[in-house]
Amino acid sequence: MERIAILGALHEEIADLLAAMEPGATTHRIAMRDFHVGTLWGTPCVIALSRIGKVAAAATASIVIQEFQVSRVIFTGLAGGLHADVNVGDVVVASALMQHDMDARPLFEQHQIPLLGRVCFDTDPAVSRLLQDSATRFTQDRGAAAVRDGETMPQVHVGLIATGDVFVSHNDEAQALRKRLPDALCVEMEGAAMAQVCYEFGVPFAVMRVISDRADHAAKTDFTVFLENVARVYTAGILEPLLRSGALLNVDATASARQG
Ligand code: ADE
């Protein structure tokens, strides 16, 4: 059976998805992780907590691909905004991901994955487009309330996400990343590792992140508040319509209908 894998690094990022799984879901424990297999809003899914960081994300992606016959992998969670236009509360859908901490110079060029000959991993355009459209609808609905509360209207961005084994919480670190990677919209700790594994297995993937902080000295506080109050609501709110409509399973048909 074809399934969609949905991964998150922290419990709060997938909590509402787990709670919404239809009765009869089963849990498989592999390599100290729980893989929840069942139906979520009508779509067969496997949901797992990867834990934080590139190794954890890569291990989790390998397991879902090898053990659970997934047709697509989606990673969801929070990220720190890097680009000047990317603010707290915005959503970033990756068009590509790269590992900002990969540096095997002078053997290989900076950021290149050694012996794979690539820096960036491109996401599945059709799934990314579905996420972008759903995130736009979700933020527009929520945005009205946010603007009433004196906040700015959340935006949805599509572009490059930078991944590394570091929680960026100093202005100078963030500035250095902005200078080195002017196209990177946000920074997180798992996406490009999952992307590399999916690329190597030939499984399409997508990444959606909600901006919890600006990767500066306030990042820790902003991240915690956001994690507890907002992360789960966004993830479920954006994924629910796509799973209910079956769009993520029929993504190839949906994409060609759009083009035709
Ligand atoms: N995820 C959320 N905020 C982050 C940050 N500032 N650095 C790395 N990963 C993050």
Side-chain angles (χ1 to χ4, degrees):
M1 183 207 289
E2 259 198 25
R3 293 193 184 92
I4 306 292
I6 304 174
L7 310 181
L10 287 165
H11 177 70
E12 291 80 354
E13 293 169 339
I14 56 167
D16 283 13
L17 304 181
L18 288 179
M21 273 192 128
E22 289 171 20
T26 53
T27 300
H28 305 252
R29 196 158 174 81
I30 304 173
M32 300 170 73
R33 288 169 178 76
D34 285 335
F35 295 85
H36 306 274
V37 179
T39 306
L40 179 61
W41 294 306
T43 293
C45 286
V46 49
I47 303 176
L49 180 71
S50 70
R51 301 203 298 268
I52 297 175
K54 293 197 313 184
V55 174
T60 312
S62 303
I63 296 168
V64 285
I65 291 169
Q66 290 207 288
E67 302 287 329
F68 298 103
Q69 295 86 48
V70 297
S71 57
R72 284 183 167 75
V73 182
I74 297 176
F75 206 106
T76 174
L78 302 180
L82 273 187
H83 196 279
D85 299 341
V86 177
N87 296 305
V88 171
D90 288 358
V91 176
V92 173
V93 176
S95 57
L97 298 105
M98 52 93 56
Q99 298 177 26
H100 68 75
D101 57 352
M102 176 57 78
D103 190 353
R105 290 176 295 174
L107 304 179
F108 298 91
E109 94 187 40
Q110 189 176 18
H111 304 136
Q112 189 178 111
I113 308 298
L115 306 181
L116 207 57
R118 331 189 117 238
V119 172
C120 290
F121 298 95
D122 295 336
T123 57
D124 181 279
V127 175
S128 301
R129 181 62 195 258
L130 287 170
L131 289 171
Q132 180 192 356
D133 290 348
S134 186
T136 302
R137 276 192 295 272
F138 179 79
T139 50
Q140 275 167 359
D141 292 349
R142 254 187 93 82
V147 170
R148 267 201 308 277
D149 294 343
E151 297 163 23
T152 52
M153 184 82 173
Q155 304 292 315
V156 178
H157 311 267
V158 180
L160 180 67
I161 293 185
T163 303
D165 275 325
V166 53
F167 185 83
V168 182
S169 59
H170 295 290
N171 292 334
D172 47 351
E173 270 177 289
Q175 271 309 106
L177 278 173
R178 281 183 196 113
K179 209 167 152 207
R180 184 149 51 86
L181 303 169
D183 291 340
L185 298 180
C186 64
V187 64
E188 40 86 305
M189 301 179 67
E190 297 82 21
M194 180 246 9
Q196 182 180 337
V197 170
C198 289
Y199 170 81
E200 290 175 0
F201 276 101
V203 174
F205 60 90
V207 177
M208 174 183 79
R209 295 283 185 174
V210 184
I211 302 304
S212 55
D213 56 81
R214 282 283 304 163
D216 56 13
H217 59 284
K220 180 170 180 281
T221 321
D222 295 350
F223 179 85
T224 310
V225 171
F226 222 78
L227 184 62
E228 277 156 18
N229 302 320
V230 186
R232 58 209 300 164
V233 184
Y234 267 68
T235 305
I238 294 169
L239 287 178
E240 181 177 347
L242 300 180
L243 294 166
R244 276 200 195 285
S245 66
L248 288 173
L249 278 184
N250 303 319
V251 75
D252 298 320
T254 315
S256 46
R258 200 194 295 267
Q259 276 160 18

